[in-house]
Amino acid sequence: MSASVDADELVEQTELPRHDAPAGPEQCRQTAGARIGDTLSLAGALIAAIALTGVIATQVMPIQGPLAFILVSYVFFVAIYAVLVRLEETGPVMVDRVVAVLVHTGAFVLVLALTSVLIYPLLRGWQALWHANLFSQDMSTTGPLSPLTQGGVIHAIVGTLLQITIALVITVPLGITTALFLSEFPGPFSRFVRTIVEAMTALPSIVAGLFVLSSFILILGVDKSGFAAGLAITVMMLPIMIRSADVVFRMVPGTLKEASFGLGASHFRTVRDVVLPTARGGLTTAIILATARGIGETSPVLLTAGFAAALNTDPLHGPMVSLPLAVFEFVKSPQPTMIARGFATAVVLMLLVLVLFILARVLGSQTVAKKAKRKQRRAGMSRRMRDQWTRVRELSAQVPIRRTLPFSTVRPEPSTDSSSPDPGSPRA
């Protein structure tokens, strides 16, 4: 009896906690944008870091060079900024702000390096880029002391295009088929091939040139030519192409292939109609990466194609120069005009790579969905034109056509006006 009474008293004494409603609207934390306090903290930390580094460099120990000064100032800047943030925020917020500063610094350094790589050759070769003969003449009749109004790199442009075309003709189909074998037919042999491909990715370019020189030129008797250089460039491009295409093919969803098999399609037709169209954009990126690796090679071209100052459009016979090799030959000269030609040739090489990149992206962006949409748009346009033509024909059929005789056979009708006098009656 007492136990039941105690339980009843306990139940009566139990009270649920009350959650009072907030007095005002909930304060939302700002996750984007910059606050005034953050900007002032960054500016204060930067000024304090520069001042502290200046005091250390002048009073404590010497800091040699601007690069060392910048590095020491940056270390002080990060430390001071972390202290300023910790005075107002919690520990996780401080870590987040410091990591954000490090990430933004890395991005800034990357953009600065890329900009300097692009702008420095442009500034050094600006004098030679002004002359149109750079793109229309070769160096067959130009010496080291010749002015910039003579000579050009048309022979190097043609050589680069021929060599990279030969390399792409061999690399693209061979790389795609090998990547399809690695992704569609897994097994011990495919694992062995993948290991060899990954090892060849780090192959030095001079080794590829020596391989083609010893096997094709010295043993088989092939002339030093653009074709031999294209074979050497192929050795450099093929591992990049196979590795990138293999990754792209393995990213194709397995449900698409299973659906194709479920509809009764063969393995070949599944690869042709499902895998390749789905991986088209990734394959374009793989081709761009392989082209970027091969188009900038110098030592394989020098060993397998030699150097020529005249234009050679025959890729099977005779030495043929490329743009990277021309840059190397121009820049090592002590003459200022030749150095300017070298930097201008580097700018031409970058422009050529940019054009090839844009062309590859345009061709690779033509997906199946875009093709179907463009086909529907063309069908709708033709249907509207057909409807307009049908409407014009209907309107022309409703308008009566009045047929008249030629002008020479038209005769005036006799007048029926009573006021006109009769031609046979006498005048009054």
Side-chain angles (χ1 to χ4, degrees), residues 48-394:
I50 295 175
L52 182 59
T53 307
V55 171
I56 293 175
T58 56
Q59 303 296 330
V60 180
M61 61 179 181
I63 298 178
Q64 301 293 334
L67 181 60
F69 188 89
I70 292 174
L71 291 177
V72 174
S73 300
Y74 181 74
V75 172
F76 285 139
F77 163 71
V78 174
I80 295 172
Y81 180 69
V83 173
L84 293 178
V85 173
R86 189 65 182 87
L87 293 176
E88 298 180 353
E89 304 290 347
T90 59
V93 175
M94 181 198 68
V95 174
D96 180 73
R97 300 283 177 82
V98 172
V99 171
V101 167
L102 296 177
V103 170
H104 284 78
T105 304
F108 175 76
V109 171
L110 179 62
V111 173
L112 182 63
L114 181 60
T115 306
S116 62
V117 168
L118 296 177
I119 292 180
Y120 184 74
L122 183 63
L123 295 178
R124 292 293 303 271
W126 186 254
Q127 297 178 354
L129 285 172
W130 275 103
H131 303 284
N133 56 282
L134 182 70
F135 306 95
S136 60
Q137 298 180 9
D138 55 18
M139 298 294 294
S140 58
T141 59
T142 306
L145 299 178
S146 299
L148 295 176
T149 55
Q150 299 178 10
V153 292
I154 185 64
H155 60 304
I157 296 175
V158 173
T160 299
L161 291 177
L162 290 176
Q163 293 169 14
I164 202 65
T165 301
I166 294 172
L168 285 175
V169 168
I170 302 174
T171 301
V172 172
L174 188 59
I176 291 178
T177 52
T178 306
L180 283 174
F181 168 74
L182 296 179
S183 61
E184 298 294 330
F185 301 96
F189 185 65
S190 63
R191 289 194 295 269
F192 172 74
V193 174
R194 183 178 286 111
T195 303
I196 297 299
V197 169
E198 291 177 354
M200 288 183 62
T201 305
L203 183 70
S205 59
I206 190 68
V207 176
L210 290 174
F211 168 73
V212 175
L213 177 65
S214 60
S215 59
F216 287 89
I217 297 177
L218 299 181
I219 296 177
L220 299 179
V222 180
D223 294 337
K224 282 190 174 184
S225 58
F227 179 73
L231 293 178
I233 295 174
T234 300
V235 176
M236 300 303 303
M237 293 172 55
L238 195 57
I240 305 296
M241 182 69 196
I242 295 174
R243 192 72 183 92
S244 304
D246 181 29
V247 173
V248 170
F249 286 142
R250 285 192 290 176
M251 291 178 61
V252 176
T255 53
L256 296 178
K257 295 188 285 187
E258 293 174 0
S260 179
F261 291 142
L263 293 174
S266 62
H267 199 173
F268 172 77
R269 190 168 183 180
T270 300
V271 170
R272 185 190 66 183
D273 297 338
V274 176
V275 177
L276 289 178
T278 305
R280 185 168 184 172
L283 291 178
T284 304
T285 304
I287 294 173
I288 292 173
L289 293 175
T291 305
R293 174 66 187 275
I295 202 172
E297 295 296 337
T298 303
S299 55
V301 179
L302 181 61
L303 291 174
T304 57
F307 182 82
L311 176 63
N312 180 19
T313 58
D314 186 6
L316 300 178
H317 303 91
M320 180 181 291
V321 71
S322 64
L323 285 172
L325 185 56
V327 172
F328 173 74
E329 293 291 337
F330 289 155
V331 172
K332 74 177 184 178
S333 174
Q335 301 299 326
T337 54
M338 297 296 288
I339 295 176
R341 287 192 184 95
F343 282 101
T345 307
V347 175
V348 173
L349 178 60
M350 290 189 293
L351 292 177
L352 181 62
V353 172
L354 178 63
V355 170
L356 294 177
F357 171 78
I358 294 174
L359 182 61
R361 297 306 299 178
V362 170
L363 295 178
S365 62
Q366 305 299 322
T367 59
V368 178
K370 290 185 178 180
K371 285 185 176 180
K373 188 176 180 180
R374 188 165 55 250
K375 186 177 180 180
Q376 293 178 359
R377 187 164 57 250
R378 286 199 301 263
M381 186 180 299
S382 61
R383 186 171 57 252
R384 287 193 298 270
M385 293 179 63
R386 192 166 52 249
D387 295 341
Q388 292 288 344
W389 176 246
T390 304
R391 189 176 298 108
V392 168
R393 292 181 61 184
E394 291 176 355

